């Protein structure tokens, strides 16, 4: 036993002496060999090692380029490894990444995992370089350089570089989209685009709960819209085949309160898209409009709400202005009538109209610029975008703006039908049927009411209100609207009868004029009598 122990000690002592000798030789080499000779020695040593070493390594750095921008490939690989290889990793790093829905587990620094692809063994390692020189930065962590290293046998070079890496990047990007926090964007005024850390779009988290199951609309119409949206989201190859940009336009039109904004939220939730709410009044010109379009991402819905009120784009309005400028008499009449309207208007509404006119004058976005934004060359930058216009008055829009190919699908958001009412009753009251349903169906057929008004009636206002009181409130509102409609119709019929009796209104006008003159004569005569009495 003593001999064995002595032999071990001799062996370890020899190993220590050998290592010390190698370190001494390396130190002398670094100190006394010229830099050029050291470079050549290192190069040929690497060649020698590569000749006998059968593996290839590919490095993916977190920061790339001269300005050290964050690499999309690095984060795609990070997502892929977090989803596929964390089960085999022994050391993990947990973090709540901004923009992600849940906790993210990734490989810790200097950890290695193995994966197989088509029977090929592949090794991924997570590495980090820390600068040797001391850093005087306020944020020393930014000096660290992280990277992933992919190692595989050199005989599988073609399979790894042409198939495996492409698969990893595609799956990593898909995982990022699936786990991302969806956002609602709005455009910033262009005056603040070039300030420190400013962007063209500001965003908040998008958490609208609307979906097609709760949308008050006929079931067959909802299914048609859902199928169209799903077909679009899966149509990348089809759009490439037919030679069109991967985008689609939707025009939502109808009275206020019919669910246009809710429809947009339901579309975004169905497809898992972000929303860009474009405010045209803050866009100065067509050039800025193009810049905003370039900044939008794929898998998004770009909306312009109330486009007929945003800026003056319609040809119909231009014709009206041209007609007014050609007739001086009509100018005087319109100005006098507008002055009378301004006097009658509520001060708050008057101020709102003045602000809208001011914003329209400040924007130089033209119809041509907006058309190029929708389906011009610039609209092909990126892909998988949906453009949505909403309006309450579709007749005011220029036909070129809403033609097929720009607004591919026109969806009328109409008043509440009985089928939509039953859906609202099921959502708000958990009700499938009631004795008042027949009465409500009859009233809905006689009077137009928006789904928003119906929903307001069906929503309980206190703990004491139940199904019966909510339904009776709706019946009460519908009957009131019916009486109002009947009264208005009766008044119109009486006006028509009076007009026929007065000779289509001509004699009525003369009688009114004679009445006015007679009253003026009586007033003058009365003043004369008073003067005579004083005398």
């Amino acid at each position: 036993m003593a001999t064995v122990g002595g032999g071990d000690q001799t062996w370890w002592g020899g190993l220590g002496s050998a290592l010390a000798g190698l370190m001494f030789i390396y130190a002398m080499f670094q100190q006394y060999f010229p830099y050029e000779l050291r470079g050549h020695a290192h190069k040929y040593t690497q060649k020698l090692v590569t000749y006998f070493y059968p593996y290839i390594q590919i490095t993916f750095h977190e920061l790339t380029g001269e300005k050290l921008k964050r690499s999309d490939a690095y984060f795609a690989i990070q997502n892929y490894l977090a989803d596929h290889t964390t089960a085999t990793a022994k050391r993990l790093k947990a973090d709540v990444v901004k923009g992600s829905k849940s906790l993210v587990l990734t490989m810790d620094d200097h950890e290695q995992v193995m994966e197989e692809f088509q029977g090929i063994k592949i090794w991924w390692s997570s590495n980090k370089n820390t600068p040797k020189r001391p850093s005087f930065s306020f944020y020393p962590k930014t000096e660290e350089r992280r990277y992933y290293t992919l190692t595989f046998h050199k005989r599988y070079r073609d399979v790894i570089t042409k198939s495996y890496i492409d698969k990893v990047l595609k799956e990593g990007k898909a995982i990022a989209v699936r786990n991302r926090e969806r956002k609602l964007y709005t455009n910033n005024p262009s005056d603040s685009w070039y300030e420190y850390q400013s962007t063209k779009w500001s965003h908040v988290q998008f958490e609208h709960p609307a979906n097609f199951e709760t949308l008050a609309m006929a079931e067959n119409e909802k299914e048609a819209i859902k199928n169209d949206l799903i077909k679009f989201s899966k149509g990348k190859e089809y759009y490439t085949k037919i030679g069109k940009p991967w985008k689609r336009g939707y025009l939502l039109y109808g009275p206020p309160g019919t669910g246009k904004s809710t429809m947009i939220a339901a579309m975004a939730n169905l497809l898992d898209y972000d929303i860009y709410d474009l405010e045209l009044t803050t866009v100065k010109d067509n050039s800025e409009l193009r810049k905003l379009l370039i900044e939008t991402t794929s898998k998004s819905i770009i909306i312009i709400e109330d486009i007929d009120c945003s800026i003056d784009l319609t040809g119909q309005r231009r014709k009206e202005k041209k007609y007014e400028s050609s007739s001086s008499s009509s100018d005087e009449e319109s100005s006098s009538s507008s002055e009378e309207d301004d006097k009658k208007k509520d001060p708050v509404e008057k101020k709102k109209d003045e602000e809208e006119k001011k914003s329209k004058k400040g924007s130089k976005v033209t119809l041509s610029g907006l058309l190029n934004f929708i389906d011009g060359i610039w609209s092909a930058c990126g892909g998988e975008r949906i453009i949505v216009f909403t309006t309450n008055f579709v007749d005011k829009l220029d036909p070129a703006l809403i033609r097929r190919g720009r607004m591919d699908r026109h969806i009328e958001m109409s008043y509440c039908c009985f089928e939509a009412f039953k859906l609202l009753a099921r959502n708000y009251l958990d009700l499938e049927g009631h004795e008042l349903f027949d009465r409500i169906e009859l009233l809905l057929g006689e009077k137009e009411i928006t789904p928003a008004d119906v929903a307001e009636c069906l929503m309980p206002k206190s703990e004491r209100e139940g199904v019966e009181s909510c339904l009776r409130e709706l019946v009460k509102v519908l009957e009131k609207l019916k009486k109002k409609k009947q009264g208005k119709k009766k008044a119109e019929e009486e006006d028509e009868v009076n007009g026929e009796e007065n000779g289509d209104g001509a004699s009525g006008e003369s009688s009114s004029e004679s009445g006015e003159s007679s009253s003026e004569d009586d007033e003058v005569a009365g003043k004369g009598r008073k003067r005579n009495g004083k005398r």
Side-chain angles (χ1 to χ4, degrees):
M1 294 295 294
T3 305
V4 175
D8 289 344
Q9 291 176 0
T10 303
W11 186 86
W12 283 108
L15 179 62
S17 300
L19 290 175
L22 289 174
M23 292 178 64
F24 175 76
I25 294 171
Y26 181 75
M28 295 296 292
F29 176 79
Q30 291 285 341
Q31 185 172 0
Y32 294 105
F33 267 65
Y35 176 79
E36 292 78 6
L37 292 178
R38 278 185 285 159
H40 286 292
H42 179 74
K43 181 175 69 172
Y44 289 112
T45 303
Q46 287 292 107
K47 285 185 177 182
L48 183 63
V49 172
T50 304
Y51 182 78
F52 292 101
Y53 187 69
Y55 292 95
I56 295 175
Q57 290 185 341
I58 300 177
T59 303
F60 300 88
H61 291 274
E62 180 183 10
L63 304 176
T64 59
E66 295 180 358
K67 296 183 179 180
L68 296 180
K69 294 182 179 179
R70 295 189 178 275
S71 170
D72 293 335
Y74 177 88
F75 285 103
I77 293 170
Q78 185 181 52
N79 293 326
Y80 176 84
L81 294 177
D83 191 69
H84 286 72
T85 63
T86 50
T88 59
K90 295 181 179 179
R91 293 186 297 118
L92 297 172
K93 182 170 54 179
D95 193 10
V96 180
V97 180
K98 184 178 180 181
S100 179
K101 293 179 180 178
S102 58
L103 187 71
V104 177
L105 295 176
T106 57
M107 294 166 51
D108 201 358
D109 297 329
H110 308 295
E111 176 68 0
Q112 187 179 64
V113 294
M114 188 190 74
E115 185 183 25
E116 286 194 8
F117 175 73
Q118 298 180 3
I120 304 170
K121 289 185 178 181
I122 300 163
W123 291 269
W124 283 102
S125 60
S126 174
N127 305 289
K128 178 179 68 172
N129 282 337
T130 304
K132 297 179 180 179
R133 296 179 180 179
S135 174
F136 298 98
S137 173
F138 289 102
Y139 307 99
K141 290 186 178 180
T142 59
E143 299 295 331
E144 298 175 346
R145 300 289 184 262
R146 286 183 169 82
Y147 58 93
Y148 286 111
T149 302
L150 171 64
T151 306
F152 56 92
H153 200 283
K154 62 182 179 181
R155 72 167 66 102
Y156 305 117
R157 177 193 291 267
D158 291 341
V159 177
I160 299 300
T161 56
K162 295 180 180 179
S163 300
Y164 177 72
I165 294 178
D166 185 58
K167 166 192 173 262
V168 169
L169 296 179
K170 284 183 178 179
E171 289 192 19
K173 292 177 181 178
I175 293 168
V177 171
R178 187 171 66 245
N179 294 335
R180 83 189 192 283
E181 179 186 71
R182 289 188 299 123
K183 298 172 183 176
L184 171 61
Y185 293 87
T186 185
N187 54 304
N188 296 323
S190 59
D191 297 337
S192 61
W193 284 5
Y194 305 103
E195 295 178 1
Y196 177 68
Q197 290 186 341
S198 62
T199 58
K200 296 179 178 63
W201 296 93
S202 299
H203 68 268
V204 295
Q205 186 177 353
F206 179 69
E207 296 180 329
H208 201 292
N211 56 66
F212 278 91
E213 284 68 30
T214 59
L215 192 63
M217 181 183 281
E219 196 64 33
N220 58 342
E221 295 180 9
K222 287 197 294 185
E223 285 300 318
I225 296 170
K226 285 172 62 178
N227 293 335
D228 187 72
L229 290 167
I230 294 171
K231 177 70 174 177
F232 165 79
S233 66
K234 298 179 179 179
K236 181 179 181 180
E237 295 180 358
Y238 177 76
Y239 277 85
T240 303
K241 173 187 172 184
I242 63 177
K244 290 184 63 177
W246 192 13
K247 65 177 186 60
R248 192 156 177 81
Y250 287 81
L251 174 67
L252 308 182
Y253 65 95
T258 50
K260 294 185 286 295
S261 299
T262 306
M263 168 66 80
I264 295 171
M267 293 166 66
N269 287 330
L270 175 69
L271 300 178
D272 203 23
Y273 282 8
D274 294 325
I275 292 181
Y276 287 84
D277 185 7
L278 178 60
E279 180 58 54
L280 283 179
T281 55
T282 63
V283 183
K284 289 184 178 180
D285 51 33
N286 297 333
S287 177
E288 289 188 0
L289 189 63
R290 287 194 296 269
K291 292 177 182 178
L292 286 169
L293 176 64
I294 294 173
E295 291 291 325
T296 60
T297 60
S298 60
K299 294 186 180 296
S300 60
I301 299 177
I302 304 172
I303 63 173
I304 304 178
E305 293 196 276
D306 298 321
I307 189 170
D308 57 300
C309 302
S310 295
I311 52 177
D312 190 4
L313 294 171
T314 59
Q316 183 180 359
R317 292 178 183 176
R318 290 196 187 96
K319 290 177 183 177
E320 290 176 358
K321 289 181 179 180
K322 185 176 180 181
Y323 175 76
E324 288 173 0
S325 62
S326 64
S327 175
S328 59
S329 60
S330 61
D331 282 343
E332 294 175 358
E333 292 175 1
S334 61
S335 61
S336 61
S337 61
S338 63
E339 288 176 0
E340 292 177 0
D341 293 340
D342 289 341
K343 291 178 181 179
K344 295 178 182 179
K345 271 185 182 178
D346 182 68
V348 177
E349 292 293 330
K350 185 178 178 181
K351 185 176 181 181
K352 184 179 178 181
D353 291 344
E354 289 176 355
E355 290 177 353
E356 287 182 358
K357 291 177 181 178
K358 185 178 179 181
S359 64
K360 289 178 182 179
K361 290 179 181 178
S363 177
K364 295 181 181 179
V365 175
T366 63
L367 178 62
S368 174
L370 188 58
L371 296 181
N372 288 328
F373 174 85
I374 300 168
D375 67 345
I377 295 177
W378 289 94
S379 66
C381 300
E384 200 171 357
R385 291 191 187 99
I386 293 176
I387 300 174
V388 179
F389 290 166
T390 70
T391 180
N392 297 333
F393 307 100
V394 68
D395 295 334
K396 289 185 177 181
L397 299 180
D398 194 293
L401 191 64
I402 59 175
R403 69 163 176 82
R404 304 293 179 178
R406 291 192 174 112
M407 294 293 104
D408 303 285
R409 191 178 183 95
H410 295 189
I411 303 174
E412 181 179 7
M413 308 298 293
S414 58
Y415 291 101
C416 187
C417 60
F418 183 64
E419 186 178 356
F421 158 74
K422 289 193 294 183
L423 177 65
L424 290 172
R426 185 165 61 249
N427 292 338
Y428 282 79
L429 302 173
D430 296 324
L431 192 64
E432 295 292 342
H434 195 272
E435 59 182 9
L436 290 175
F437 273 26
D438 293 336
R439 176 62 179 162
I440 292 173
E441 182 178 9
L442 181 63
L443 290 171
L444 286 174
E446 295 176 350
K447 180 56 189 170
E448 295 175 337
I449 185 172
T450 64
D453 292 331
V454 174
E456 181 61 26
C457 294
L458 296 180
M459 182 179 290
K461 308 302 185 299
S462 67
E463 293 293 335
R464 293 175 295 177
E465 289 190 13
V467 172
E468 189 78 20
S469 59
C470 291
L471 291 177
R472 292 197 177 280
E473 175 67 19
L474 177 59
V475 171
K476 182 180 177 182
V477 170
L478 289 171
E479 288 179 343
K480 185 177 179 180
L481 292 173
K482 181 182 177 182
K483 290 179 182 179
K484 185 177 180 181
K485 181 179 179 181
Q486 290 176 346
K488 185 178 180 181
K489 186 177 180 181
K490 185 177 180 181
E492 290 176 353
E493 291 176 352
E494 290 177 355
D495 290 340
E496 290 178 2
V497 172
N498 293 334
E500 292 175 358
E501 291 177 354
N502 295 330
D504 295 333
S507 60
E509 290 175 1
S510 61
S511 63
S512 63
E513 291 175 1
S514 61
E516 291 174 2
S517 61
S518 62
S519 62
E520 290 176 0
D521 293 338
D522 293 340
E523 186 178 355
V524 172
K527 290 180 180 179
R529 285 193 295 270
K530 288 179 181 178
R531 287 195 296 269
N532 293 334
K534 287 180 181 179
R535 288 176 182 174

